[in-house]
Each structure stands twice: as structure tokens, then as C-alpha cells.
Amino acid sequence: MAASVDSNSALVLFSGGQDSTVCLAWALERYSRVETVGFDYGQRHAVELEVRLPIREKISALSPEWKARLGDDHRIRLDALGEISQTSLTREMAIEMGENGLPTSFVPGRNLIFLAFAGALAYRRGIQHIVAGMCETDYSGYPDCRHDTIQAMQLALGLGMDRHFELHTPLMGIDKADTFALSQKLGGQPLFDLIVEETHSCYLGDRSRKHDWGYGCGACPACQLRAKGYQEWKARAAVQKGTAVASR
Ligand code: ZN
């Protein structure tokens, strides 16, 4: 039997990356009970799964309110996804643009599968809101990150489980620089620093090299996107500071 639905609860798709960590903070600001789910599908950057629990611990230490709201973590094994997808995220192959105009890191339908499992878990846990970090602004055009895809999934989950789910993608319309800015807005400098230090984006799973934007190889598309976002955030913050000084 499914638990009764708690309309003030959320399940966050939490990978341990920058985006999903900002989404976790976003959910902790809004909902009284927040649970997290991570998927293990044989990704090469499985190190991101290892940073999940330390991030949860550190984020709940930032605020007594967030600590009280943060509930269970769930980890779901999706080995089948690795079996059917021959991509650079799951196999030893170069991450580059493929002939179809998508990066070789594209795992077909990955987010559809994640959302379907998240929906099933949310159903069982009596959770109404599902929060995920998909973003169509600067993500190499992954079709399963599009707003329309997410809307369609919300409809499909609602119909298929006869339950009203709300899917939230707070990063959908913003770029990486704004994601850095949003983390500062949600949790000030402590959350910003936690995101730089603790979250993992690098597709190659490299945590041996530290940059001002965090750890990573510095060369893969995920590192480049994160580095570019950080530089843009810094430039925008400097302009805002300059404007504030000038208007005094
Ligand atoms: Zn990298």
C-alpha cells in the first residue's frame, strides 16, 4: 500500500553534481520533508556517487531548518542502463560530438528512466514533488533535458500512477553562471563554497586537480561548462559590485 500523499514533501534527483546540489538546497528552502535519490548505472564518473553522502551531511549542517527537513537517501542500481547504452559516460571512449550532433556522453532516454524510477519511489514514499536539475540553456542540446520532455513526463507519471505529481526543474531556464549565483542566494557563501569544494561534475571522475571552480580534469565538456560558468559568474558579480559602488 502506498503511503498517503504529503503535499509538502519533495524527492530530489541528487547525483552529487553541482546542479543537483543546488536543486537540493532549493528544495530544502521550500518543503518540510526532502528525500534524495541517486542512480548507479555504471557511470565512469561513479566518484559523484561517493560525494553524495558527505554533501548531504554538510548541507544539513548549514542550517538547523535544513537539517530538520532532510530525510532519507535512496540509491537505486540501474545496471541495465549501462548495458544498453554505448556511450562515453559508461564506456572507455572519447567524449566528443557524435555524428547525430549530440555529444557521445548522451545516454539515450536517461532522464526519462530516472524520472520514471523517481516517480515510482515518490509514489511509494507518499511524496508529491519531484525536483531535478535538467537545464536546456547550456546543455549541448540533450533532448531529455528539454522543458517539453519534462512536462510530458509529468503528465505520463500522473496518468500512469493515477497520482498528482509535480515535477520541478529550477535550473531549466538559467545558465551555469546563474546556477552559481542561485547557490549564493539560497545559502550564502557557505553553500557556494560547499558547492565548489564538494560537488563533482567531471565526466572522467578526476578529483586530483583543484581549480577555482572545483575539482576536475579541466578538459572534458562538464569541466569546461563548469569553468566557463564560474568565470561568467565572477565577471557578472564584478559588474554588479561596480554598479553598486558607482551608485553610492
Ligand atoms: Zn573533466
Side-chain angles (χ1 to χ4, degrees), residues 201-206 213 215-224:
S201 301
C202 177
Y203 283 155
L204 302 183
D206 186 344
W213 45 265
Y215 290 92
C217 72
C220 77
C223 281
Q224 285 178 356

Side-chain angles (χ1 to χ4, degrees), residues 150-164:
I150 306 302
Q151 288 295 106
M153 267 318 269
Q154 176 172 297
L155 185 63
L157 292 176
L159 287 172
M161 297 189 205
D162 199 19
R163 172 73 62 86
H164 176 64

Side-chain angles (χ1 to χ4, degrees), residues 25 28-29 59-60 62-70 186-187 191:
L28 287 168
E29 271 294 285
I59 208 166
S60 70
L62 294 182
S63 142
E65 201 168 37
W66 287 6
K67 191 185 174 99
R69 292 174 171 187
L70 186 59
L186 288 166
L191 179 64

